[in-house]
């Protein structure tokens, strides 16, 4: 089992963040432009944990020694069943440096966009606070 999956299933935000490279790029299923950096990506993932209900991974694709992994999931957002996939790429240190999410169907993607939009001010505040914290 991929360490990211273990951290998500444990709902361990600190462990999730520890698996992200400083220069991670997060590509959202509902935003046009990717987000760059660990603080914003970690804040987005914390928000996702707040808006997804009944989240569960249903399939994991990728060998343990592979740098690319696909984690297929199901969850509910605003009463809509979401099926999606987290596509992860890890760097030489084993940290996630590329993270892309895709979801379906459109009605669920729209519900996710609305729910995440409602979280965006908090996401930005958390990212700014983390980015200004001493290392």
């Amino acid at each position: 089992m991929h360490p990211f999956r273990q951290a998500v299933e444990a709902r361990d935000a600190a462990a999730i963040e520890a698996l992200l490279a400083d220069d991670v790029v997060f590509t959202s299923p509902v935003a046009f432009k990717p987000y760059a950096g660990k603080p914003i990506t970690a804040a987005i993932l914390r928000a996702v944990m707040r808006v997804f209900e009944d989240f569960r991974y249903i399939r994991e694709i990728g060998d343990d020694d592979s740098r690319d992994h696909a984690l297929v999931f199901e969850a509910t957002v605003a009463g809509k069943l979401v099926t999606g996939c987290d596509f992860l790429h890890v760097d030489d240190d084993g940290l996630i440096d590329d993270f892309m999410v895709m979801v379906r169907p459109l009605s669920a993607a729209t519900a996710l966009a609305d729910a995440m939009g409602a979280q965006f001010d908090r996401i930005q505040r958390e990212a700014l606070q983390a980015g200004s914290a001493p290392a």
Side-chain angles (χ1 to χ4, degrees):
M1 182 182 300
H2 193 277
F4 182 80
R5 178 179 179 175
Q6 291 175 318
V8 169
E9 289 179 344
R11 299 188 58 80
D12 187 341
I16 291 168
E17 186 169 351
L19 292 168
L20 301 174
D22 289 337
D23 62 349
V24 62
V25 175
F26 179 82
T27 304
S28 164
V30 296
F32 175 73
K33 181 179 153 195
Y35 297 94
K38 187 175 187 171
I40 189 71
T41 300
I44 289 168
L45 294 175
R46 286 190 298 273
V48 168
M49 287 196 304
R50 291 190 296 268
V51 302
F52 274 158
E53 300 169 17
D54 304 319
F55 182 92
R56 64 205 164 279
Y57 283 113
I58 58 172
R59 186 175 309 128
E60 184 171 337
I61 303 164
D63 296 328
D64 289 342
D65 58 351
S66 175
R67 293 179 71 170
D68 293 291
H69 299 270
L71 304 174
V72 181
F73 64 85
E74 290 181 342
T76 305
V77 176
K80 303 281 185 189
L81 178 62
V82 178
T83 302
C85 190
D86 293 336
F87 294 96
L88 310 175
H89 180 271
V90 297
D91 63 15
D92 291 336
D93 297 321
L95 298 175
I96 299 166
D97 63 357
D98 187 54
F99 191 132
M100 180 175 63
V101 181
M102 300 185 85
V103 298
R104 65 162 310 279
L106 179 59
S107 60
T110 301
L112 178 59
D114 292 344
M116 290 300 290
Q119 296 280 322
F120 201 72
D121 287 342
R122 180 174 175 181
I123 291 168
Q124 287 183 308
R125 281 193 310 275
E126 289 180 9
L128 286 172
Q129 290 171 347
S132 63

